[in-house]
Amino acid sequence: MSVKSILVSQPKPSNGKSPYNDLADKYDLTVDFRSFIHVEGVDVQEFRQQKIKIEEYTAVIFTSRKAVDHFFKMCESLRVKVSDSLKYFCMSEAVALYLQNYVVYRKRKIFHGKTRFVDLIDTIKKHKDEKFLLPCSDILKPII
């Protein structure tokens, strides 16, 4: 029994370059790209109803790149100026580096774990005087 097609659970690359294309050509396969996860941000009205004031927080915990995108998009929609003194705690270094798209990367205000949330907990405990905001989905792992 041979494999005829491969299902990839991510969106199709916009530039057409993908390692799956090489496999498809080499082994005469069909590659189907289907995004299984769709993330939608909370709309501005619903966010205002929760009465969360972003200016009151001194630190933000990011668990993913999507969280970073949605946080800054919400700040822009609410016309909230993000403070320069705001500290960022990222679950991984990749998320911390992605944060450079929105803020100037400084070692004193951007902290990251290795890959899991448990790695970040010790860093958060060192900054116990901060008031944390955690932008995340409605379904979370129990550890978070």
Side-chain angles (χ1 to χ4, degrees):
M1 188 161 111
S2 63
V3 177
K4 300 284 183 200
S5 66
I6 297 174
L7 177 63
V8 180
S9 63
Q10 53 184 283
K12 188 171 186 171
S14 58
N15 61 4
K17 294 181 181 179
S18 171
Y20 298 107
N21 293 341
D22 297 336
L23 287 173
D25 294 339
K26 184 175 180 181
Y27 296 106
D28 194 30
L29 299 171
T30 304
V31 179
D32 295 320
F33 291 93
R34 301 271 189 269
S35 182
F36 291 160
I37 299 172
H38 178 71
V39 179
E40 287 185 14
V42 177
D43 65 339
V44 177
Q45 291 178 341
E46 188 177 336
F47 187 80
R48 283 189 177 135
Q49 288 175 351
Q50 295 177 6
K51 297 184 180 177
I52 297 171
K53 296 192 183 340
I54 296 174
E55 313 86 42
E56 294 177 357
Y57 293 92
T58 59
V60 182
I61 302 172
F62 291 120
T63 55
S64 68
R65 292 179 181 184
K66 290 280 187 190
V68 173
D69 288 336
H70 287 293
F71 174 76
F72 285 101
K73 181 180 168 187
M74 186 61 65
C75 289
E76 184 179 314
S77 298
L78 294 170
R79 295 184 191 109
V80 173
K81 184 181 181 296
V82 178
S83 172
D84 291 336
S85 62
L86 192 66
K87 293 183 181 179
Y88 303 97
F89 294 82
C90 304
M91 196 148 99
S92 67
E93 187 177 8
V95 176
L97 293 173
Y98 184 74
L99 197 56
Q100 288 180 0
N101 295 336
Y102 297 98
V103 297
V104 177
Y105 193 89
R106 292 193 184 122
K107 289 183 180 180
R108 292 187 182 161
K109 70 178 201 174
I110 298 178
F111 307 93
H112 61 84
K114 290 187 174 79
T115 54
R116 300 176 305 157
F117 193 76
V118 177
D119 302 331
L120 190 59
I121 290 176
D122 291 334
T123 309
I124 292 173
K125 286 181 180 177
K126 290 178 186 175
H127 297 271
K128 59 186 171 197
D129 297 334
E130 304 293 336
K131 189 171 179 187
F132 291 95
L133 176 66
L134 176 64
C136 60
S137 66
D138 54 354
I139 302 169
L140 279 177
K141 294 179 181 177
I143 188 76
I144 298 176

